Amino acid sequence: MIQWHNSRARYKMETGKKKFAVVGVIIGVVVILIITLICFLAKPSESKDFLFLTPTLTYEMPSFRLSTPCTMAQHPHHLVRYAVAGLYSGSLLICGGGGFGASLTLLSSCHTLSNQTWVQTDSLPAPTAGAAVSQSSGGILVTGGLTNKGLTNHTQTYSGAGWTRGPDLPVKVTYHCQVDIGGEEVIISGGGIDDDGSDSARVFSLQGGRWTELPPMNTSRDGHACAVAQNQLWVMGGYGTATVEIMDITTKVWRNGPDLPREMYGGQAVVYRGELYAVHNEGQVWRLTKDVWETVATITGYKGRPIQAVVVNIADLC
């Protein structure tokens, strides 16, 4: 009888130990899961995209809500305007522009964002503001602009190892618009041309290392915005106009598009997840929906075009 009681006691003791061990494992797993969840919530999602307008103005897409995805060092030329920007190998690059102070000072310096710090890299061949920029797998192409010697028709490409001079444009131009339409073809439109800066309706295509003139727009423009959407080139706004023109990329034929709600000079055109947006120089954001521009946001802190807008992933910033 005593032996049976002793065996039963030992059985209960061993069972209790096993229960405690199981409970301990469960608690450990729960603690690990909680810690993992906290770390996940504390780390910004890599799926987030942002519209980068200046080193201090980034807007979460597609809400256009002013956001600070991470703490970045102040850009050396934080008051710079009409600079060019693009992404190269996952790094944000800002070049040139005009530093506003007692007088306008043109800049040639370039800075790339590395570990949330701006690092100086290969400068533009000459101080330049008001140039146009596009990017492709071959690098970042910068064309035209205003230099200390007046307007320029020079082009240059950044491919990670300095700048390479490209074929000169047929005209000297600034405040023009430029897009990469794929198939190794770049199109520029309008802008202020020659030394008097007259508005232009001329359109040029760069393909195979040569510039070719295309059919002109119906309206002369400078300070306008452009983007490629739905296999079409959309050109919108410019000084004194709210008109929109659309060019079929295949046929190179122009047609009129839906006017913007108001004149837009120095604004931006952005395509995000297949939708076309226009960002007015005073902060209104319009989205094209069934050939109608509807207001979707008003962004704060933005005035004019410091740089050409770039859509970046949080990984490119942080």
Side-chain angles (χ1 to χ4, degrees), residues 54-87:
T54 77
T56 57
L57 296 176
T58 53
Y59 300 88
E60 188 172 331
M61 296 295 289
S63 66
F64 289 90
R65 180 178 59 86
L66 185 63
S67 178
T68 306
C70 55
T71 302
M72 286 182 284
Q74 180 173 286
H75 191 274
H77 305 297
H78 64 286
L79 295 179
V80 69
R81 295 177 64 81
Y82 293 100
V84 294
L87 284 173

Side-chain angles (χ1 to χ4, degrees), residues 78-306:
H78 64 286
L79 295 179
V80 69
R81 295 177 64 81
Y82 293 100
V84 294
L87 284 173
Y88 184 78
S89 295
S91 295
L92 184 62
L93 180 75
I94 299 178
C95 294
F100 281 70
S103 61
L104 173 63
T105 302
L106 300 181
L107 303 170
S108 63
S109 57
C110 294
H111 294 82
T112 186
L113 188 62
S114 177
N115 297 321
Q116 300 167 232
T117 300
W118 294 101
V119 179
Q120 188 160 355
T121 185
D122 302 290
S123 297
L124 289 168
T128 307
V133 63
S134 60
Q135 57 189 66
S136 67
S137 57
I140 299 174
L141 173 66
V142 175
T143 66
L146 174 66
T147 72
N148 290 324
K149 295 181 179 180
L151 302 188
T152 182
N153 62 349
H154 292 176
T155 73
Q156 45 269 323
T157 298
Y158 180 81
S159 56
W163 293 90
T164 302
R165 179 77 175 268
D168 287 349
L169 286 160
V171 294
K172 298 177 180 179
V173 63
T174 187
Y175 301 146
H176 51 303
C177 205
Q178 175 177 318
V179 292
D180 187 302
I181 65 171
E184 299 183 354
E185 182 177 5
V186 173
I187 292 179
I188 72 165
S189 62
I193 65 170
D194 300 323
D195 289 329
D196 63 359
S198 300
D199 291 357
S200 171
R202 299 178 72 178
V203 180
F204 299 94
S205 166
L206 175 63
Q207 194 171 28
R210 295 182 59 187
W211 290 102
T212 303
E213 188 155 10
L214 300 179
M217 299 179 290
N218 296 318
T219 303
S220 297
R221 307 171 187 272
D222 81 302
H224 51 299
C226 61
V228 175
Q230 304 161 5
N231 200 40
Q232 301 173 111
L233 170 60
W234 291 70
V235 178
M236 58 196 72
Y239 185 76
T241 182
T243 60
V244 175
E245 295 183 61
I246 307 167
M247 186 185 76
D248 184 286
I249 288 176
T250 302
T251 65
K252 305 296 192 289
V253 174
W254 289 96
R255 64 182 175 87
N256 293 328
D259 287 356
L260 297 170
R262 55 183 294 204
E263 296 177 2
M264 185 177 78
Y265 176 71
Q268 309 267 9
V270 178
V271 176
Y272 184 70
R273 293 181 179 174
E275 295 192 293
L276 178 61
Y277 297 86
V279 182
H280 192 272
N281 45 294
E282 293 183 356
Q284 295 89 357
V285 181
W286 304 307
R287 181 178 61 206
L288 185 68
T289 304
K290 296 181 179 179
D291 283 339
V292 175
W293 294 100
E294 59 176 354
T295 302
V296 293
T298 299
I299 60 178
T300 56
Y302 181 63
K303 189 74 173 177
R305 186 193 292 178

